[in-house]
Amino acid sequence: MLFVIILVMIYTANCEQKAEKNTEKANNNWRNCAPFAAFPDKISSIFRRKTTMSRMCGTTESGRTDPAGQRARRLTETAVMTALLIVLQAVTKPAGQYITGTCVNAVLAVSVLAAGLWSGITVALLSPLFAFLLGIGPQLPPIVPSIAVGNLVFVLLLGLLAGGGEPPLWKRAAAWLLAAAAKFGVLYLLVVKLLCAVLPLQEPQAAAFSAMFSYPQLITALAGGAAGLFLSPLLRRASRRSPAHD
């Protein structure tokens, strides 16, 4: 009986030794496959990055639109466009009306075509007010609403006719020409024909405003609109967005 017990003990010890060796061998094999050992962590890291980028881009992990993310992105783009427009007005003011006006209309066109209709409307309405408050634009309060209306007509026509989808070249060209002509017409009527006739302006001041808000507005709207139509697709591709139509 004692002999049997000893044999059992020896057999058990051998089994335990074999089990330990097999375990050690398996561990060594797993260490040799270290890249696969870290695979779950890599998957988790990729998922976390995807989740973060999805929130930043306004989409959920399943690809659905995230309204809160879209609103945040739209507000950010609108703020950036407004700030850029004000900075360009201040920097290019010594260069003259043609350079400054072209830059202003280019930013307006980009804001509505790349960021969306509501972004364009917001920039169009806020920029004349900030320009007046900062001493960049014409320092005559009644002119500020007129400039805002001209900007609004410009972005509305561009956004409605050339924004959203991929309109053909002729449609974009028609929107560009119509928006520039409409802005020129609105500013000419409101400032030159109405305000300069109604407000008690000195003759030199009235002549200066009449010259400023006549044909130069058409030229700068055409030049800025063309620049915006060219830059907007590049900006959309850079941010991997579809044409703005919101």
Side-chain angles (χ1 to χ4, degrees), residues 87-104:
V87 170
L88 284 175
Q89 282 181 290
V91 171
T92 61
K93 186 176 181 179
Q97 179 182 0
Y98 288 100
I99 301 299
T100 303
T102 298
C103 292
V104 168

Side-chain angles (χ1 to χ4, degrees), residues 16-130:
E16 290 177 353
Q17 290 179 355
K18 289 181 180 180
E20 290 177 358
K21 289 181 180 180
N22 291 334
T23 302
E24 184 177 359
K25 184 178 180 180
N27 290 335
N28 290 333
N29 291 336
W30 183 252
R31 292 190 191 99
N32 293 332
C33 299
F36 295 98
F39 189 72
D41 293 335
K42 292 181 179 179
I43 291 295
S44 177
S45 176
I46 292 172
F47 180 76
R48 286 195 299 270
R49 287 199 299 268
K50 181 181 178 183
T51 302
T52 302
M53 292 303 295
S54 297
R55 289 172 180 171
M56 291 175 61
C57 295
T59 58
T60 62
E61 291 82 352
S62 60
R64 292 177 296 181
T65 301
D66 180 12
Q70 276 198 333
R71 283 194 296 269
R73 184 177 62 187
R74 190 179 299 117
L75 287 173
T76 302
E77 290 172 342
T78 303
V80 169
M81 290 296 177
T82 304
L84 178 62
L85 194 148
I86 294 171
V87 170
L88 284 175
Q89 282 181 290
V91 171
T92 61
K93 186 176 181 179
Q97 179 182 0
Y98 288 100
I99 301 299
T100 303
T102 298
C103 292
V104 168
N105 287 295
V107 174
L108 291 175
V110 169
S111 66
V112 70
L113 295 175
L117 184 61
W118 288 109
S119 293
I121 291 174
T122 304
V123 175
L125 295 178
L126 289 181
S127 59
L129 176 62
F130 286 133

Side-chain angles (χ1 to χ4, degrees), residues 123-212:
V123 175
L125 295 178
L126 289 181
S127 59
L129 176 62
F130 286 133
F132 172 77
L133 294 176
L134 296 174
I136 302 171
Q139 295 303 293
L140 188 64
I143 288 184
V144 175
S146 302
I147 298 175
V149 172
N151 290 345
L152 181 62
V153 170
F154 183 72
V155 298
L156 280 176
L157 290 175
L158 271 182
L160 294 176
L161 298 178
E166 290 292 344
L169 181 60
W170 70 266
K171 191 173 183 179
R172 284 181 287 171
W176 165 57
L177 294 174
L178 183 59
K183 179 178 180 178
F184 158 69
V186 168
L187 289 176
Y188 185 80
L189 291 174
L190 291 179
V191 178
V192 178
K193 292 299 183 181
L194 180 61
L195 293 181
C196 288
V198 173
L199 296 177
L201 301 175
Q202 299 293 331
E203 186 175 347
Q205 193 177 17
F209 282 125
S210 297
M212 183 184 300

